[in-house]
Amino acid sequence: MTREELLRLDRAHVWHPFTQAQTAPEPLPVVSANGAVLVEEGGREILDLISSWWVNLHGHAHPAIADAIADQARRLEQVIFAGFTHEPAVRLSARLAQILPGGLDKVFFSDNGSTAVEVALKAALQVFRNRGETDRTRFLAFDGGYHGDTVGAMSAGVSSKFFEAWQEMLFPVDILPVPATWMGDAEVEAREAEALAALDRHLEANGRHTAAAIVEPLVQGASGMRMHRPEFLRAVVERLRAHGVLVIFDEVMTGFGRTGALFACLGAGVAPDFICLSKGLTAGFLPMSLTVTTTAIHDAFLGDSLDRAFLHGHSFTANPLGCAAALASLDLLLADDCTQARARIEAFHRAALADLGGHPLVTRPRVQGTIAAFDVPVAAGEGGYASAVGPRLKESFARDGLLIRPLGNVVYLLPPYCVTDAQLTRAWEGISRALSSLS
Ligand SMILES: *Cc1c(COP(=O)(O)O)cnc(C)c1O
């Protein structure tokens, strides 16, 4: 198919996500990929510095994962998961139970980050119902949290401001502040104390009616790579527990080494009651997600009657190909060279941001593991996801053959772990050029 033909058919028949088709540039046809490099139709190369919407852990088309999927596809591609089980799902669950914080040992499968969140919210509500505590029906979430695009996930992520069109279908969720911080932030402790005081007041009044709280630990992704300190996260969890509120960590983005430690909860030294995992789970090969919880919560669903059970499931639950991809990805993730690569990327980010120190268009520089971000200052009221700065930066990145996709006025890198120093050099040089194009 020629490029012209492909784009004509795309315009005629394809509806792209998060895209205003009237004003967006034409989509770029990609024909293959390797490592951190996407190859466009015609042979032009684009360096993928955001792991293709944060999913691609080890680089594109990794042969070990491709082989694992192909082998599995020849043996068992899919089977109904009610009344049946299979080795890839069992091995993946057992392996995750070993590397997640102690106690998280029951794995529920679904297909994407949003459904992993829905499962946690639904299970949290039902666990109290099953225990006869029917007055725990409220949910708590944090300002700037994003949890996906299905109705429950939108309700929990209402403060991310992506959901104006659907206000009428959302259920009420209590939203509390998170003190985002950055390098050289002198006032973080005062802001943390304020946020914790607000949480205390809220829990005093509503704690006993609250089933669960959902949080993106250490880094709030979609609302602009907003980072908070592990000290704050630990203080939040301690308060929630004191009021019997279940804790859901949405690690859809932060999981699988993204923030340095294997999971943000391990890095912060705190264990939730539910952890939601997706994005990096299959290293970007197949859509799959997990909601992992404790035996105590799982066992609250046991009983003689079906209505105590968790009556939720999806057609492709625990797809064996996804499980095979996830197992192969874990092999790569747990190898020493991956740990070293993540540390190398973090050190590179820190040095690059230090070099940009004092640049008038670089504020609030921040790094958490392999994620680096900063804000481009904009006039009051011109920030946020719709900021005009984003498209202008994106044009410059596109000219340089870089896939970097600012979140409004927030520039960030979230590369696959195979990214080389030479590629990171190109990325940060491209950022400098993009900033120059603004002034
Ligand atoms: C992307 C994301 C989701 C939603 O995942 P989908 O697979 O896009 O449904 C949920 N939570 C967080 C933190 C995310 O980054």
Side-chain angles (χ1 to χ4, degrees):
M1 200 183 282
T2 65
R3 185 185 187 101
E4 289 64 39
E5 177 74 348
L6 187 152
L7 289 175
R8 189 184 65 74
L9 288 174
D10 183 282
R11 258 192 311 279
H13 300 298
V14 181
W15 195 342
H16 289 270
F18 276 107
T19 300
Q20 174 46 268
Q22 186 167 313
T23 52
E26 278 190 326
L28 301 178
V30 173
V31 289
S32 65
N34 196 311
V37 175
L38 304 171
V39 183
E40 219 186 305
E41 205 276 334
R44 196 175 99 110
E45 295 192 345
I46 301 165
L47 193 51
D48 181 355
L49 293 154
I50 60 164
S51 304
S52 276
W53 252 347
W54 318 347
V55 298
N56 188 277
L57 279 199
H58 308 293
H60 292 274
H62 196 293
I65 302 173
D67 287 347
I69 294 170
D71 285 351
Q72 184 59 46
R74 288 193 199 90
R75 245 172 306 153
L76 174 68
E77 85 302 345
Q78 166 67 11
V79 64
I80 178 174
F81 206 58
F84 292 82
T85 191
H86 50 78
E87 188 174 324
V90 170
R91 282 181 54 210
L92 178 60
S93 304
R95 232 172 140 190
L96 281 168
Q98 271 172 8
I99 59 174
L100 284 167
L104 291 170
D105 56 5
K106 295 282 187 192
V107 178
F108 192 93
F109 288 80
S110 61
D111 307 333
N112 58 72
S114 307
T115 54
V117 166
E118 299 287 342
V119 165
L121 296 174
K122 287 177 69 174
L125 193 65
Q126 192 182 346
V127 84
F128 287 113
R129 183 173 185 271
N130 283 359
R131 288 172 178 165
E133 292 185 55
T134 47
D135 51 351
R136 280 205 192 252
T137 54
R138 292 171 80 124
F139 288 98
L140 196 163
F142 290 88
D143 190 35
Y146 170 82
H147 302 290
D149 287 352
T150 52
V151 173
M154 285 200 295
S155 303
V158 65
S159 69
S160 66
K161 308 259 182 4
F162 290 114
F163 310 126
E164 297 299 325
W166 304 287
Q167 290 296 334
E168 286 78 8
M169 64 198 297
L170 306 187
F171 56 81
V173 172
D174 302 315
I175 304 291
L176 283 151
V178 177
T181 189
W182 49 88
M183 295 167 177
D185 173 14
E187 275 117 47
V188 61
E189 287 180 17
R191 288 201 308 280
E192 285 178 357
E194 244 173 72
L196 291 173
L199 180 62
D200 283 337
R201 285 193 299 275
H202 179 80
L203 290 173
E204 212 47 60
N206 307 298
R208 67 185 184 285
H209 300 300
T210 304
I214 183 163
V215 56
E216 283 178 89
L218 298 186
V219 186
Q220 295 180 311
S223 66
M225 300 298 156
R226 287 158 42 109
M227 302 181 184
H228 53 263
R229 301 196 308 162
E231 290 88 335
F232 175 73
L233 189 63
R234 286 196 292 269
V236 165
V237 169
E238 196 178 293
R239 282 162 169 78
L240 293 169
R241 290 220 188 290
H243 287 267
V245 176
L246 294 173
V247 178
I248 303 168
F249 274 9
D250 177 354
E251 293 223 32
V252 168
M253 186 278 280
T254 56
F256 302 102
R258 203 29 96 183
T259 65
L262 274 185
F263 299 95
C265 55
L266 288 173
V270 62
D273 300 291
F274 293 92
I275 185 169
C276 305
L277 302 170
S278 186
K279 294 204 165 104
L281 172 63
T282 66
F285 275 73
L286 287 160
M288 194 168 77
S289 62
L290 307 173
T291 308
V292 189
T293 189
T294 61
T295 293
I297 287 177
H298 169 270
D299 287 357
F301 290 79
L302 301 177
D304 299 331
S305 65
L306 195 58
D307 72 329
R308 278 183 74 87
F310 190 53
L311 300 182
H312 180 113
H314 300 278
S315 316
F316 286 97
T317 299
N319 173 254
L321 304 182
C323 296
L327 283 163
S329 174
L330 277 182
D331 285 341
L332 297 170
L333 181 72
L334 297 175
D336 288 343
D337 56 348
C338 185
T339 311
Q340 286 152 16
R342 299 203 306 277
R344 173 180 56 79
I345 294 167
E346 171 162 3
F348 202 105
H349 285 333
R350 288 188 186 279
L353 276 173
D355 284 347
L356 283 173
H359 193 297
L361 294 180
V362 177
T363 60
R364 305 186 169 185
R366 49 200 188 267
V367 174
Q368 180 71 56
T370 62
I371 308 169
F374 63 86
D375 295 5
V376 176
V378 290
E382 286 173 22
Y385 193 74
S387 169
V389 167
R392 288 174 61 198
L393 292 168
K394 233 164 99 179
E395 271 172 41
S396 175
F397 296 138
R399 274 196 301 278
D400 279 347
L402 303 174
L403 170 49
I404 301 177
R405 208 181 136 89
L407 294 156
N409 63 318
V410 176
V411 177
Y412 74 93
L413 298 179
L414 196 150
Y417 305 152
C418 67
V419 73
T420 64
D421 282 358
Q423 290 169 331
L424 286 172
T425 301
R426 267 189 64 199
W428 285 100
E429 284 172 0
I431 288 174
S432 286
R433 260 191 303 280
L435 293 174
S436 306
S437 79
L438 288 182
S439 44

